[in-house]
Amino acid sequence: MPIFKISGTKLKKLNSLPLDKEKNLQALVEANLIEVLDLLFLATEYTTTFGGRIDTLAVDTNGSPVIIEYKRNKNDNVINQSLSYLKWLKSQKPGFFEKLMIDKLGKDKADKIKLDWHNPRVICVAENYSKFDIDTAEVVPLRIELMKYRYYEDGIFALEPVNVPETVAATHAPIAVATGDTKSLQVTDTANPLDNLLAKASPDIKALFAELRERIVAIDDSITENPTAYYVGYRMGNNFAEVHIGKNQLKIHLRPIDFVDPKGMVNKIPDGYNWTMDRRVYLKSDSELEYVVGLIEQSYKNVI
């Protein structure tokens, strides 16, 4: 997608430029991991016992280990290399990674992140991908995310997803909705990770979440949905909404921005929690849905 700069009433198309060296790309991403990918940096050029070196090792805010590899030229098979590193990572014990988190983040910060050792992620960053790359990422049943970068004149940098991992895309399946009493559920996919999150919700809240979910993913075709053990995240590179499902309400965490909020529904989470998504709004009924979606759209615009 072309990028334009506004000059008065005119639009000037910015030219895409090559980065001087691929190492510069890695250094730029690592220095801004929380801003561009919502990740916490742990190590660069991490040497494995297999003899290779992981370009960037990180952890996401849900506690999943993350391997990042950068494609240095058109012929690099970055996905196969990443999978080799993932195999090595999964052969280690969780204690190794927990120690690395403590060493790099500090004990207080590391203790607030619950390590999700069974759901590691692989992120590949490149200027372009071949059809082979994209097809491989789609058929491998792992969390492989392809990110495409562009560097423009005037110091503009863009990073956007190329694919939606199967583990994320699958969460767009129909959710369980109560039919009659609360013990009678129609579930179209028993493997749906949303089921655990929805189990405690009342029938009205299940229905309200279904409406909210439909409205959020309609904002942009590139939005991905990622259920975790605690909430359902919606992201465009970074999370812009995290929906916590309760029995009688939906609690939604949003980006740390100043919202246009005439009803005063958004409140700030105390600084002591050290949460990136430190704005919060509650949704309890259909009558609030339109207003709350407007707040979510403001949060979404903060990540595009």
Side-chain angles (χ1 to χ4, degrees), residues 46-151:
Y46 190 89
T47 302
T48 72
T49 54
F50 286 2
R53 290 189 299 179
I54 297 172
D55 286 347
T56 305
L57 198 56
V59 62
D60 69 20
T61 51
N62 301 320
S64 295
V66 183
I67 291 170
I68 306 175
E69 288 294 311
Y70 307 86
K71 191 169 184 177
R72 305 184 188 283
N73 60 61
K74 291 181 179 179
N75 297 320
D76 274 354
N77 197 338
V78 67
I79 295 177
N80 282 353
Q81 185 177 3
S82 300
L83 292 177
S84 176
Y85 291 144
L86 180 60
K87 178 182 178 181
W88 171 82
L89 183 68
K90 295 177 76 172
S91 71
Q92 307 304 304
K93 294 183 178 179
F96 131 78
F97 202 82
E98 290 171 341
K99 183 178 185 303
L100 183 62
M101 288 168 58
I102 292 172
D103 290 345
K104 299 297 182 179
L105 304 177
K107 192 173 188 311
D108 289 345
K109 195 168 186 177
D111 285 347
K112 292 176 181 177
I113 301 173
K114 184 178 179 181
L115 180 62
D116 187 0
W117 187 247
H118 300 293
N119 288 293
R121 296 167 59 189
V122 170
I123 298 177
C124 302
V125 179
E127 190 170 17
N128 280 304
Y129 294 94
S130 67
K131 185 178 184 301
F132 173 80
D133 292 330
I134 296 171
D135 288 346
T136 301
E138 287 180 355
V139 299
V140 173
L142 296 167
R143 299 175 70 184
I144 302 176
E145 303 162 45
L146 306 183
M147 304 293 296
K148 182 168 67 177
Y149 78 88
R150 285 289 185 273
Y151 182 66

Side-chain angles (χ1 to χ4, degrees), residues 131-268:
K131 185 178 184 301
F132 173 80
D133 292 330
I134 296 171
D135 288 346
T136 301
E138 287 180 355
V139 299
V140 173
L142 296 167
R143 299 175 70 184
I144 302 176
E145 303 162 45
L146 306 183
M147 304 293 296
K148 182 168 67 177
Y149 78 88
R150 285 289 185 273
Y151 182 66
Y152 299 91
E153 57 184 325
D154 290 349
I156 305 298
F157 181 80
L159 193 64
E160 61 179 342
V162 173
N163 68 323
V164 179
E166 187 66 27
T167 53
V168 175
T171 66
H172 289 279
I175 62 174
V177 178
T179 57
D181 63 79
T182 56
K183 295 181 181 178
S184 177
L185 295 177
Q186 292 179 337
V187 181
T188 59
D189 182 0
T190 55
N192 188 342
L194 282 175
D195 289 346
N196 289 338
L197 295 171
L198 287 163
K200 61 185 176 183
S202 69
D204 287 345
I205 293 302
K206 285 185 174 72
L208 183 59
F209 174 74
E211 292 182 53
L212 176 66
R213 181 193 199 200
E214 185 175 339
R215 293 290 299 274
I216 292 175
V217 297
I219 294 173
D220 192 311
D221 289 342
S222 298
I223 290 172
T224 58
E225 181 184 72
N226 179 33
T228 74
Y230 305 103
Y231 61 79
V232 185
Y234 295 91
R235 64 189 293 119
M236 283 280 292
N238 292 339
N239 279 11
F240 63 87
E242 296 171 352
V243 182
H244 298 250
I245 302 172
K247 181 178 180 181
N248 297 309
Q249 65 183 11
L250 301 174
K251 180 175 65 175
I252 306 162
H253 289 197
L254 302 171
R255 303 289 299 177
I257 62 174
D258 293 326
F259 287 86
V260 177
D261 178 26
K263 293 186 179 181
M265 291 185 66
V266 178
N267 59 75
K268 187 177 185 301

